[in-house]
Amino acid sequence: MSRGRGGRAAALPDGTWEAPQRTPPGGPDTTVVFIEETSGTPKVFDFSRLPGEAGVQCWLARAFARRTGPRSGVKRLESARGLYYTCRRFAAVLADMDLVVHGPAGLTGAHIAAFTLRYAGMPTGRADLITLRALLRDDDELPEPARAALLAGRLPQSRAQDRDPVVAYDAQEWQLIMTALRRDVRAARDRISAGRALLARYRAGEITAGPDARLGAVLDMFDRTGDVPREKSGNPARRVTRAGGVDAVAALLCLTAAEMTAFCLLLTALTATNFGTVAAWPAISFRPGGGGDGPGGAGSDPASAVTLVEQVKPRRGPEREHMVTALEDLPAALAGVLTAEEADGRLFRSPARLYWLLVDLTACSRRHRASTSAFTAFGSRAGGFIDRVGSHHVQQWARAGSFPAARTASAGAVRGAPSIDVRRIRQTAIEHAGRPVAHTRATMNDRYLARSQNVRDDSRIVVADALRDQEARARTAQAVPVFTAAFCARFGTDPDATAAEVGLDAAVLTEMIAGRQDTAVTSCIDHLSGPHTHPGQVCTASFLTCLDCVNARALPHQLPVQHAMAEQLAALRPHLDPTVWRARFQRRLHQLDDIFAAYTAAEHDQARAAITGQHRSLAGDVLSGDWDLR
């Protein structure tokens, strides 16, 4: 036995303890008891009600018991019901077959195919096949041909896959939802604080008469017993009715179902955790810095700015389903910046503080419900105290706030009224956080971010900007300086100043203009100091590489051969593999286009008219590599 700080004693059960029986003693082989892990609620599943032969019913009951055992990933009652209904549909298909199936030994691939075809076009078809595979994958009684047919092939397309993918909320929609959630949390906090203050004043004897005293007496009884004063008939007493009824009295000390839902949705948004996982959070936590639960404890100190809460994700498997999530508070310095314009800003940006507030506000309902859940509330229509948040609560909260409750991932039809979908809330939170939450980074990238249109659009912008930047840099680095006709005319009148303008010696520029330093389609300022050879050695690079060389310069008398080169590059394109042409020649054509941009349309027309057979032969020799061998 050991005890950690702030924890409870850990010990083995006493010797009289026995594990809950999955099958009632002396009961039939077709009855299986499923016990929900979180609530301990038992549920009896009777497989004798399934259509078909008794042998099939018993076999499916055994498979069901094995799949829903303590070491399986089926922890919730809803999951067990879904598994049972799949067994029912499979049994119905076997019962309709012409050849009677008396047990698993008679199953063939045809029976599996019949089940797949029967429900292929239905909304549950894909899920049923997935469930059946998980149920019978390791079943020793299933014949091998039937197992091979069950596991063969791809899963059928579902209607859900044809709908719009899960999309994040845009900024306006997100702001509307968050504003509504924060409003409900503020209202609950202020109302319960006022109710507790009234009760404290009544118990201290500060209120002895009047409406507040009567309400204080009612609150005192509700806080102690979980009920209100009643008449002999069982109806609430008149003073309860005058206070607004049972729900109004309870709301002064407990959350309503809508407010409990608002807390769960807001924590989902702040932590990017699954809504169902958050809804199962306990009111028991651990703070590394010490202190108890609830606001005002040591959790307010910087040393306890992290609260550890245990959560369960059954889909991760029995070995990894139990996790610990860290709820962080904001550092004081950062909180001062964020709360400059909003008094409650720190609360609504801190998962830890919101969790502490939730635990504090649910203390009364949790005590009377005898629950350890962080999410408890009171609702007379729900039969009193409740300790579970379900999808129907989300729908009710959405309708109360004039939001459409959507079970699909599509955006709200009305602008300004987004649909409330817990999947979209988590999708938005993950996109905003940019980090994996209870999953791997690969899962985040491949599942959550890859399906996001917002992320794809942003990625295209980032990639396009990067490519344009790289292209601009490459073009700047590879651009060949062009000495236009006007430049050459100025050189004839003032050689020294014009040569100094481009950083060359006047004698070198004279040789270049005269054409005595031409290579193929450009001129070279110094073939003994090229970047591809050691200083003092003759350049041995390909003449086509001159377009990349820092020593290259383009002059007007080279424009005809440059056009001849561009024509032959374009003519080669349809005769070469596209990848080969892009790799070898596309950049050269772009470089020539950069040179052409320095000339006027008239100069281009004159150059094209001046192209000779010698120009075309020279361009062909350079492209074929013949000049590189000379």
Side-chain angles (χ1 to χ4, degrees):
M1 180 185 299
S2 62
R3 182 185 296 272
R5 182 173 55 184
R8 296 179 297 177
L12 294 174
D14 56 43
T16 60
W17 183 87
E18 293 183 359
Q21 297 297 315
R22 303 297 311 285
T23 57
D29 294 336
T30 56
T31 302
V32 180
V33 178
F34 174 79
I35 302 175
E36 190 173 43
E37 183 175 278
T38 54
S39 65
T41 304
K43 170 66 177 178
V44 178
F45 290 94
D46 188 1
F47 282 77
S48 64
R49 298 181 179 180
L50 270 56
E53 297 296 315
V56 173
Q57 297 170 353
C58 294
W59 168 59
L60 290 177
R62 292 192 296 271
F64 177 87
R66 186 169 54 252
R67 182 71 180 89
T68 58
R71 299 284 295 169
S72 74
V74 181
K75 304 295 184 182
R76 297 189 174 97
L77 187 56
E78 291 80 0
S79 301
R81 285 198 180 101
L83 188 62
Y84 176 77
Y85 293 145
T86 297
C87 291
R88 175 184 288 276
R89 285 188 280 271
F90 183 56
V93 170
L94 298 181
D96 290 341
M97 299 293 288
D98 293 335
L99 185 61
V100 178
V101 179
H102 297 282
L107 288 175
T108 64
H111 298 103
I112 304 298
F115 174 78
T116 303
L117 293 175
R118 172 78 174 272
Y119 297 102
M122 298 186 181
T124 61
R126 178 184 174 89
D128 279 339
L129 186 54
I130 293 175
T131 303
L132 196 64
R133 285 182 175 182
L135 179 69
L136 304 179
R137 181 187 303 272
D138 300 323
D139 194 318
D140 296 335
E141 301 180 69
L142 185 67
E144 197 57 38
R147 189 194 320 277
L150 178 63
L151 303 179
R154 302 183 56 145
L155 293 170
Q157 191 80 1
S158 67
R159 293 183 180 179
Q161 291 176 313
D162 298 332
R163 294 195 298 260
D164 295 334
V166 178
V167 294
Y169 294 104
D170 60 32
Q172 179 182 357
E173 294 173 335
W174 188 249
Q175 183 63 31
L176 287 171
I177 296 173
M178 293 300 104
T179 299
L181 294 174
R182 292 165 183 162
R183 181 186 63 240
D184 286 358
V185 170
R186 285 193 190 97
R189 178 196 58 187
D190 297 342
R191 185 189 66 249
I192 294 178
S193 296
R196 288 175 173 176
L198 176 62
L199 177 59
R201 291 170 56 203
Y202 172 79
R203 287 176 173 173
E206 299 177 10
I207 306 174
T208 57
D212 286 349
R214 291 191 294 270
L215 180 57
V218 173
L219 289 177
D220 179 64
M221 180 177 179
F222 184 85
D223 184 61
R224 288 184 292 103
T225 67
D227 199 1
V228 295
R230 296 183 179 274
E231 305 289 353
K232 292 182 179 181
S233 61
N235 296 325
R238 183 174 301 179
R239 49 185 169 171
V240 176
T241 305
R242 289 176 180 174
V246 177
D247 286 339
V249 171
L252 292 175
L253 297 177
C254 303
L255 294 178
T256 65
E259 292 164 348
M260 175 183 65
T261 305
F263 266 99
C264 194
L265 290 172
L266 192 53
L267 282 169
T268 300
L270 290 178
T271 62
T273 304
N274 282 326
F275 176 83
T277 303
V278 174
W281 278 359
I284 303 170
S285 61
F286 173 74
R287 300 187 194 174
D293 292 313
S300 304
D301 299 331
S304 58
V306 176
T307 299
L308 304 181
V309 180
E310 184 181 15
Q311 64 183 17
V312 180
K313 293 191 70 174
R315 287 185 301 175
R316 292 168 58 92
E319 303 296 337
R320 301 170 59 239
E321 62 178 333
H322 291 278
M323 306 171 58
V324 174
T325 184
L327 304 181
E328 299 178 351
D329 190 17
L330 292 177
L334 179 59
V337 176
L338 296 177
T339 58
E341 299 180 357
E342 185 182 359
D344 292 330
R346 187 171 185 180
L347 169 66
F348 295 120
R349 291 177 174 86
S350 168
R353 287 181 175 267
L354 190 62
Y355 173 79
W356 300 336
L357 177 62
L358 170 67
V359 172
D360 178 58
L361 297 183
T362 57
C364 178
S365 55
R366 185 169 57 254
R367 183 175 73 251
H368 292 300
R369 177 68 178 177
S371 172
T372 59
S373 174
F375 295 92
T376 57
F378 181 88
S380 57
R381 293 186 178 181
F385 295 100
I386 55 178
D387 63 348
R388 181 174 302 182
V389 189
S391 58
H392 62 287
H393 291 118
V394 177
Q395 297 174 21
Q396 292 169 3
W397 182 88
R399 285 195 295 267
S402 300
F403 292 102
R407 295 191 62 82
T408 64
S410 58
V414 181
R415 184 66 176 174
S419 58
I420 303 301
D421 190 331
V422 296
R423 297 175 301 166
R424 295 185 65 193
I425 290 178
R426 189 182 188 219
Q427 177 74 28
T428 308
I430 290 177
E431 291 184 18
H432 289 177
R435 57 182 175 82
V437 179
H439 51 245
T440 63
R441 183 166 293 277
T443 299
M444 180 188 71
N445 293 337
D446 298 340
R447 176 175 176 81
Y448 292 96
L449 299 186
R451 71 187 180 189
S452 170
Q453 187 62 43
N454 295 334
V455 173
R456 289 199 295 268
D457 293 342
D458 292 343
S459 300
R460 291 191 185 99
I461 294 174
V462 172
V463 172
D465 290 343
L467 291 176
R468 280 191 289 266
D469 180 65
Q470 293 297 322
E471 181 184 12
R473 292 184 181 183
R475 285 182 177 275
T476 302
Q478 297 169 2
V480 176
V482 179
F483 297 158
T484 62
F487 175 85
C488 294
R490 282 194 294 114
F491 178 77
T493 59
D494 190 357
D496 293 334
T498 307
E501 181 182 328
V502 294
L504 295 176
D505 186 85
V508 174
L509 192 52
T510 300
E511 295 294 312
M512 292 175 63
I513 294 176
R516 288 190 287 270
Q517 292 192 209
D518 288 357
T519 55
V521 292
T522 62
S523 293
C524 182
I525 61 175
D526 189 358
H527 67 287
L528 297 178
S529 62
H532 305 289
T533 55
H534 294 290
Q537 295 183 357
V538 177
C539 181
T540 58
S542 169
F543 286 99
L544 198 59
T545 312
C546 289
L547 293 171
D548 293 327
C549 185
V550 296
N551 290 341
R553 301 293 186 271
L555 289 100
H557 69 268
Q558 297 159 347
L559 192 55
V561 71
Q562 291 168 355
H563 271 290
M565 177 77 73
E567 290 175 359
Q568 294 200 27
L569 287 173
L572 284 173
R573 186 169 190 170
H575 301 288
L576 293 177
D577 181 89
T579 304
V580 174
W581 186 88
R582 285 195 298 268
R584 294 183 59 185
F585 301 124
Q586 185 176 50
R587 184 159 58 95
R588 305 306 181 193
L589 190 57
H590 287 167
Q591 291 169 320
L592 290 173
D593 289 338
D594 290 338
I595 296 174
F596 294 157
Y599 296 98
T600 64
E603 289 173 323
H604 284 298
D605 293 339
Q606 185 178 0
R608 292 189 187 96
I611 296 175
T612 64
Q614 184 179 1
H615 291 144
R616 292 189 173 89
S617 176
L618 173 61
D621 290 342
V622 172
L623 292 178
S624 63
D626 289 348
W627 266 40
D628 297 336
L629 302 177
R630 297 178 183 180

